[in-house]
Amino acid sequence: MPAVSKGDGMRGLAVFISDIRNCKSKEAEVKRINKELANIRSKFKGDKALDGYSKKKYVCKLLFIFLLGHDIDFGHMEAVNLLSSNKYTEKQIGYLFISVLVNSNSDLIRLINNAIKNDLSSRNPTFMNLSLHCIANVGSREMAEAFAAEIPHILVAGDTMDSVKQSAALCLLRLNRTSPDLVPMGEWTSRVVHLLNDQHLGVVTAATSLIATLAQKNPDEFKTSVSLAVARLSRIVTSASTDLQDYTYYFVPAPWLSVKLLRLLQCYPPPEDAAIRGRLTECLETILNKAQEPPKSKKIQHSNSKNAVLFEAISLIIHHDSEPTLLVRACNQLGQFLQHRETNLRYLALESMCTLASSEFSHEAVKTHIETVINALKTERDVSVRQRAVDLLYAMCDRSNAQQIVAEMLNYLENADYSIREEIVLKVAILAEKYAVDYTWYVDTILNLIRIAGDYVSEEVWYRVIQIVINRDDVQGYAAKTVFEALQAPACHENLLKVGGYILGEFGNLIAGDPRSSPLIQFNLLHSKFHLCSVPTRALLLSTYIKFINLFPEIKPTIQDVLRSDSQMKNADVELQQRAVEYLRLSCIASTDILATVLEEMPPFPERESSILAKLKKKKGPGKLPDIEEIRKEKNANINGGTEPVNASTNAKASPPPSSDLLGLGGSSTQNAAPPASTGGSLLVDVFSENNSTTPPGSVRPRRGRELLQVCLQNLGRMYVFFGNKTSTQFLNFSSAVLNVHTKPADPTVEGGAQLQQILNIECVTDFMEAPVLNIQFRYGGTLQNIAVKLPITLNKFFQPTEMTSQDFFQRWKQLSTPQQEVQKIFKAKHSMDTEVTKAKIIGFGVALLDQVDPNPTNYVGAGVIHTKTTQVGCLLRLEPNTQAQMYRLTLRTSRDTVSQRLCELLSDQF
Amino acid sequence: MIKAILIFNNHGKPRLSKFYEHYSEDTEQQIIRETFHLVSKRDENVCNFLEGGMLIGGSDNKLIYRHYATLYFVFCVDSSESELGILDLIQVFVETLDKCFENVCELDLIFHVDKVHNILAEMVMGGMVLETNMNEIITQVDAQNKMEKSEAGIAGAPARAVSAVKNMNLPEIPRNINIGDISIKVPNLPSFK
């Protein structure tokens, strides 16, 4: 008899579902659902008590509606009431509703906990199981607080039923996952280990899962499990297929348990005790031997479960990495699978071999399969398998086979799936660099890479090739020649143009002797592609041109003509316009010596870890990435260096702003790609000073070197502002003032080339939105100049961090509960969601970062007080990252609505 | 750990979703759509594993799936699970459903959501495998049904009588309801033979 008889379906439910399925449109479906929701709501609210059957019917309807993706915002209370029913049917449907629909933050948890408590102590195994399931499904912190101490007792008590033990073990595992701090280790741990000897294999399986997870954090506590696990495994492996009766699955004895035991053993090094170690080796050998035996059944389930155990055994062998014979046998076994007709096995074999390739004992053995793997790359129909083949080729690559592997990867790249191209590009770039004996090969490879998959070549890759070419003079001539040839192609990728422009700008002279690549031809070749590229590339090419003026004085007039043309000089893009104007002036005024100094060849880059590697690591998974940090620092440096927003706004006028320093040009181009040498800065003052008549004093804009806001603890702040006169003439009647800020009056005269320091004492009178503006006035060459600069003073500068306990925090949080006091914003992350960086940003914001306040450890919680002259405003904040969606939710509660609003705006900008 | 168990049909209509980690309702629906998108475009005879979508954890996670007639069974798991082990678990789940429903088909999953959840709960708990022995699972399910029957026998009698009468008058019992574009009855699933 089937366990569920067909006839007892609920008619109302059936009719409802078929109605929905007959709906012709989404609107009709929504309409029907709303009607049903209204109906259920009125039934729940009605005075007539519903019988179990009706309750069940309505809950099933709600589950169906929920499954279709509609919100269910009622019925929770009814579900909670069902929990306290004495009838199994009602209790069960209540628990079902809760485990599907109630999330861990629900207000109802307390009520649910009460019901669970009753069921847990009921001694009725069915009820106990239901309640344990509920805890495991919801797994909230409040539940952990209520039950984490009790469940271990249930688990190890002698009179607990087997099925309850199983549930208790997994329930505990779940709580340990969500709230590890609340699951106490204790005398129960040793008794849990002994569950590995239990009669009931279901109990053993659950206990093994639990121990494997706990042992990762507390290996010592569970050390004794190793010998028990080996003993158990040995008994399973050597048993006849009928011994374990129901736990034999398609002639394989207890495959799941074997897999779990082998996983557990991977938490530990090889056993030290020789006897145990011998027994384990025996087990592993038996498993490997069985793989060679003829199958006991033709069914796929038989080979599947047999191989599940085999792959886990191989993982353990690789993990131990100590028995050369076993490693080689494992490798041979995987080699067989590489050519198996089952796609799943080929996939898993490629995956396991990846880890095997890193072992010194088996690296050579893995390498023998190179042809098979390359073949897989070419012939596999399944992209997942091809992806694994790429991974394995990457893992087995060394100096001896690098050229072959890189060539095959490049080959494959031409037809590779779009989803994995970028990763292959990174891998090729890394291998080519790592195993390059001959750097001409490296240059060829990377140029090929750009040719084949230019769109997938990230900045890191082409930065790196330039770094290497600059640092190795033996390859520079070859690189110049090769890029020159590559650029001959009628259509070449912009990335190639970037590399080409940069390399020719540095080393074009090395090939200029050949009449086929004379300076003019080089220039014309680059310039013929100029108009087709994006702004950053054009900016880079302009730098190449000025470098050409230095390298090849004979084509200076041609280049000057280009720079002088309207399309450069009046370009709508400020960066391009600025470069054109500055480079043109530089080429007109500076002597050859100065030019040679300014435009000197780039010095070698400091040796450092390849940023490509960092990028690949990031792509493949989380981890600490020092290089990314570095890049970020570089970016910040650029921002501090020149193009601050304030400055940009002062010179965004139509007239060309021949601004001050070359270094600032790095703003939009990248650090590596900005050829101007750092020695240029001081010279430029001279360059422009000869040219007073046409220079509007935009160039004297105050260059705010560094603002130091020293005191943040009170409502007082102090700021130092430096004014530098970059011209040679005096500024007269100099003054600067900020509304409502005490300034020590500045010296009215600023000599040419001199710097002036002014101290601003700032007091926060009340909360404010707009940053104060510093008005600077001075007389220069007869005309009065007015410049307004926003000071980087924001409300959060007046924070005092406040440490508080979880209890205090929540108490205050609840006090600030009126709608005006809370401001919430949900927004997309603009930067990578790195925990450490986020923490630093929150602390930098001025509040104290509170640990272990939020039940969810991934959330950030902070508290601080803003001091103003009149009042103090307490502020609480909570930031919830969602890494899956790359979103943040920021909630601020303060006693003043304007403060909440402003702080939320300020802080949300940071992520 | 198993992060989620999803069942949807060839058209992407969800038939069961069980998440063992918390996501917002919107995210859950997105995950179902994304997973369907990833799985449905794959040919038959390719491997049963693929890297997870971005929403459910990216490259550390795998989707392990089987395709039976009109239904996809997808388990989203992290790296601590054995791929082949999960594949067998899906098989056990389906075989159990088949035994409980006698030649299970898509409609059984729709009309007996609660039963399917109960059967699943006997196998997987909080994202970990609870029981793999089919006989044990079915014994548990049978015991529950008995309890249900006995309770229904006392209190639910009137309601059941009404329901039975209504059923008699119903010309089309659920199994034959017109359901548009979906094939009504899946004959015996080929993979069970």
PDB file of all heavy atoms in Angstrom, chain A residues 807-821:
ATOM      1  N   GLN A 807      23.350  44.503  25.879  1.00  0.00           N
ATOM      2  CA  GLN A 807      22.097  44.815  26.557  1.00  0.00           C
ATOM      3  C   GLN A 807      21.784  46.309  26.504  1.00  0.00           C
ATOM      4  O   GLN A 807      20.694  46.726  26.129  1.00  0.00           O
ATOM      5  CB  GLN A 807      22.216  44.349  28.007  1.00  0.00           C
ATOM      6  CG  GLN A 807      20.877  44.231  28.689  1.00  0.00           C
ATOM      7  CD  GLN A 807      21.076  43.959  30.166  1.00  0.00           C
ATOM      8  OE1 GLN A 807      22.190  43.775  30.647  1.00  0.00           O
ATOM      9  NE2 GLN A 807      19.997  43.935  30.900  1.00  0.00           N
ATOM     10  N   ASP A 808      22.816  47.124  26.819  1.00  0.00           N
ATOM     11  CA  ASP A 808      22.646  48.572  26.753  1.00  0.00           C
ATOM     12  C   ASP A 808      22.233  49.001  25.359  1.00  0.00           C
ATOM     13  O   ASP A 808      21.352  49.835  25.175  1.00  0.00           O
ATOM     14  CB  ASP A 808      23.969  49.282  27.084  1.00  0.00           C
ATOM     15  CG  ASP A 808      24.256  49.213  28.555  1.00  0.00           C
ATOM     16  OD1 ASP A 808      23.338  48.802  29.293  1.00  0.00           O
ATOM     17  OD2 ASP A 808      25.378  49.563  28.952  1.00  0.00           O
ATOM     18  N   PHE A 809      22.945  48.407  24.413  1.00  0.00           N
ATOM     19  CA  PHE A 809      22.704  48.816  23.034  1.00  0.00           C
ATOM     20  C   PHE A 809      21.243  48.620  22.665  1.00  0.00           C
ATOM     21  O   PHE A 809      20.594  49.513  22.163  1.00  0.00           O
ATOM     22  CB  PHE A 809      23.611  48.020  22.092  1.00  0.00           C
ATOM     23  CG  PHE A 809      23.480  48.438  20.644  1.00  0.00           C
ATOM     24  CD1 PHE A 809      24.261  49.458  20.127  1.00  0.00           C
ATOM     25  CD2 PHE A 809      22.555  47.832  19.813  1.00  0.00           C
ATOM     26  CE1 PHE A 809      24.138  49.858  18.809  1.00  0.00           C
ATOM     27  CE2 PHE A 809      22.419  48.228  18.494  1.00  0.00           C
ATOM     28  CZ  PHE A 809      23.224  49.245  18.000  1.00  0.00           C
ATOM     29  N   PHE A 810      20.753  47.426  22.966  1.00  0.00           N
ATOM     30  CA  PHE A 810      19.390  47.146  22.539  1.00  0.00           C
ATOM     31  C   PHE A 810      18.372  47.961  23.323  1.00  0.00           C
ATOM     32  O   PHE A 810      17.347  48.362  22.797  1.00  0.00           O
ATOM     33  CB  PHE A 810      19.097  45.654  22.602  1.00  0.00           C
ATOM     34  CG  PHE A 810      19.700  44.936  21.430  1.00  0.00           C
ATOM     35  CD1 PHE A 810      20.759  44.075  21.594  1.00  0.00           C
ATOM     36  CD2 PHE A 810      19.221  45.165  20.138  1.00  0.00           C
ATOM     37  CE1 PHE A 810      21.323  43.445  20.507  1.00  0.00           C
ATOM     38  CE2 PHE A 810      19.780  44.539  19.055  1.00  0.00           C
ATOM     39  CZ  PHE A 810      20.831  43.673  19.228  1.00  0.00           C
ATOM     40  N   GLN A 811      18.692  48.214  24.568  1.00  0.00           N
ATOM     41  CA  GLN A 811      17.797  49.045  25.360  1.00  0.00           C
ATOM     42  C   GLN A 811      17.665  50.435  24.728  1.00  0.00           C
ATOM     43  O   GLN A 811      16.575  50.940  24.513  1.00  0.00           O
ATOM     44  CB  GLN A 811      18.349  49.154  26.777  1.00  0.00           C
ATOM     45  CG  GLN A 811      17.337  49.696  27.742  1.00  0.00           C
ATOM     46  CD  GLN A 811      17.974  49.890  29.107  1.00  0.00           C
ATOM     47  OE1 GLN A 811      19.108  49.487  29.333  1.00  0.00           O
ATOM     48  NE2 GLN A 811      17.244  50.499  29.996  1.00  0.00           N
ATOM     49  N   ARG A 812      18.831  51.003  24.372  1.00  0.00           N
ATOM     50  CA  ARG A 812      18.774  52.335  23.755  1.00  0.00           C
ATOM     51  C   ARG A 812      18.158  52.288  22.372  1.00  0.00           C
ATOM     52  O   ARG A 812      17.466  53.204  21.961  1.00  0.00           O
ATOM     53  CB  ARG A 812      20.188  52.911  23.666  1.00  0.00           C
ATOM     54  CG  ARG A 812      20.638  53.311  25.032  1.00  0.00           C
ATOM     55  CD  ARG A 812      21.969  53.954  25.021  1.00  0.00           C
ATOM     56  NE  ARG A 812      22.556  53.752  26.333  1.00  0.00           N
ATOM     57  CZ  ARG A 812      23.593  54.411  26.765  1.00  0.00           C
ATOM     58  NH1 ARG A 812      24.179  55.295  25.990  1.00  0.00           N
ATOM     59  NH2 ARG A 812      24.067  54.187  27.966  1.00  0.00           N
ATOM     60  N   TRP A 813      18.474  51.214  21.685  1.00  0.00           N
ATOM     61  CA  TRP A 813      17.913  51.058  20.333  1.00  0.00           C
ATOM     62  C   TRP A 813      16.388  51.112  20.397  1.00  0.00           C
ATOM     63  O   TRP A 813      15.734  51.756  19.599  1.00  0.00           O
ATOM     64  CB  TRP A 813      18.413  49.728  19.764  1.00  0.00           C
ATOM     65  CG  TRP A 813      18.011  49.457  18.339  1.00  0.00           C
ATOM     66  CD1 TRP A 813      16.938  48.738  17.930  1.00  0.00           C
ATOM     67  CD2 TRP A 813      18.688  49.877  17.151  1.00  0.00           C
ATOM     68  NE1 TRP A 813      16.914  48.686  16.555  1.00  0.00           N
ATOM     69  CE2 TRP A 813      17.965  49.380  16.053  1.00  0.00           C
ATOM     70  CE3 TRP A 813      19.833  50.639  16.897  1.00  0.00           C
ATOM     71  CZ2 TRP A 813      18.342  49.595  14.733  1.00  0.00           C
ATOM     72  CZ3 TRP A 813      20.213  50.852  15.579  1.00  0.00           C
ATOM     73  CH2 TRP A 813      19.472  50.345  14.513  1.00  0.00           C
ATOM     74  N   LYS A 814      15.851  50.432  21.403  1.00  0.00           N
ATOM     75  CA  LYS A 814      14.392  50.404  21.509  1.00  0.00           C
ATOM     76  C   LYS A 814      13.846  51.759  21.929  1.00  0.00           C
ATOM     77  O   LYS A 814      12.753  52.150  21.518  1.00  0.00           O
ATOM     78  CB  LYS A 814      13.959  49.329  22.510  1.00  0.00           C
ATOM     79  CG  LYS A 814      13.986  47.962  21.833  1.00  0.00           C
ATOM     80  CD  LYS A 814      13.615  46.827  22.730  1.00  0.00           C
ATOM     81  CE  LYS A 814      13.912  45.513  22.039  1.00  0.00           C
ATOM     82  NZ  LYS A 814      14.641  44.573  22.848  1.00  0.00           N
ATOM     83  N   GLN A 815      14.630  52.488  22.756  1.00  0.00           N
ATOM     84  CA  GLN A 815      14.167  53.816  23.157  1.00  0.00           C
ATOM     85  C   GLN A 815      14.034  54.754  21.964  1.00  0.00           C
ATOM     86  O   GLN A 815      13.180  55.624  21.938  1.00  0.00           O
ATOM     87  CB  GLN A 815      15.144  54.432  24.156  1.00  0.00           C
ATOM     88  CG  GLN A 815      14.982  53.850  25.552  1.00  0.00           C
ATOM     89  CD  GLN A 815      16.161  54.187  26.433  1.00  0.00           C
ATOM     90  OE1 GLN A 815      17.096  54.868  26.015  1.00  0.00           O
ATOM     91  NE2 GLN A 815      16.142  53.698  27.663  1.00  0.00           N
ATOM     92  N   LEU A 816      14.897  54.581  20.987  1.00  0.00           N
ATOM     93  CA  LEU A 816      14.875  55.487  19.831  1.00  0.00           C
ATOM     94  C   LEU A 816      14.004  54.890  18.732  1.00  0.00           C
ATOM     95  O   LEU A 816      14.464  54.609  17.642  1.00  0.00           O
ATOM     96  CB  LEU A 816      16.287  55.676  19.288  1.00  0.00           C
ATOM     97  CG  LEU A 816      17.295  56.312  20.240  1.00  0.00           C
ATOM     98  CD1 LEU A 816      18.685  56.204  19.679  1.00  0.00           C
ATOM     99  CD2 LEU A 816      16.945  57.762  20.486  1.00  0.00           C
ATOM    100  N   SER A 817      12.745  54.675  19.071  1.00  0.00           N
ATOM    101  CA  SER A 817      11.977  53.888  18.113  1.00  0.00           C
ATOM    102  C   SER A 817      10.949  54.684  17.329  1.00  0.00           C
ATOM    103  O   SER A 817      10.218  54.120  16.532  1.00  0.00           O
ATOM    104  CB  SER A 817      11.280  52.743  18.847  1.00  0.00           C
ATOM    105  OG  SER A 817      10.433  53.300  19.804  1.00  0.00           O
ATOM    106  N   THR A 818      10.852  56.011  17.538  1.00  0.00           N
ATOM    107  CA  THR A 818       9.878  56.740  16.726  1.00  0.00           C
ATOM    108  C   THR A 818      10.365  56.783  15.286  1.00  0.00           C
ATOM    109  O   THR A 818      11.564  56.760  15.033  1.00  0.00           O
ATOM    110  CB  THR A 818       9.680  58.181  17.233  1.00  0.00           C
ATOM    111  OG1 THR A 818      10.894  58.880  17.054  1.00  0.00           O
ATOM    112  CG2 THR A 818       9.267  58.208  18.682  1.00  0.00           C
ATOM    113  N   PRO A 819       9.417  56.867  14.355  1.00  0.00           N
ATOM    114  CA  PRO A 819       9.797  56.761  12.944  1.00  0.00           C
ATOM    115  C   PRO A 819      10.782  57.841  12.492  1.00  0.00           C
ATOM    116  O   PRO A 819      11.621  57.592  11.650  1.00  0.00           O
ATOM    117  CB  PRO A 819       8.464  56.895  12.202  1.00  0.00           C
ATOM    118  CG  PRO A 819       7.401  56.675  13.201  1.00  0.00           C
ATOM    119  CD  PRO A 819       7.962  56.947  14.549  1.00  0.00           C
ATOM    120  N   GLN A 820      10.688  59.046  13.086  1.00  0.00           N
ATOM    121  CA  GLN A 820      11.596  60.096  12.622  1.00  0.00           C
ATOM    122  C   GLN A 820      13.028  59.819  13.051  1.00  0.00           C
ATOM    123  O   GLN A 820      13.979  60.250  12.425  1.00  0.00           O
ATOM    124  CB  GLN A 820      11.203  61.472  13.189  1.00  0.00           C
ATOM    125  CG  GLN A 820       9.832  61.960  12.801  1.00  0.00           C
ATOM    126  CD  GLN A 820       8.786  61.441  13.767  1.00  0.00           C
ATOM    127  OE1 GLN A 820       9.111  60.964  14.835  1.00  0.00           O
ATOM    128  NE2 GLN A 820       7.524  61.527  13.372  1.00  0.00           N
ATOM    129  N   GLN A 821      13.160  59.124  14.171  1.00  0.00           N
ATOM    130  CA  GLN A 821      14.504  58.932  14.698  1.00  0.00           C
ATOM    131  C   GLN A 821      15.294  57.912  13.888  1.00  0.00           C
ATOM    132  O   GLN A 821      16.505  57.889  13.903  1.00  0.00           O
ATOM    133  CB  GLN A 821      14.428  58.494  16.154  1.00  0.00           C
ATOM    134  CG  GLN A 821      14.006  59.642  17.038  1.00  0.00           C
ATOM    135  CD  GLN A 821      13.664  59.196  18.427  1.00  0.00           C
ATOM    136  OE1 GLN A 821      13.264  58.055  18.641  1.00  0.00           O
ATOM    137  NE2 GLN A 821      13.826  60.078  19.385  1.00  0.00           N
TER     138      GLN A 821
END
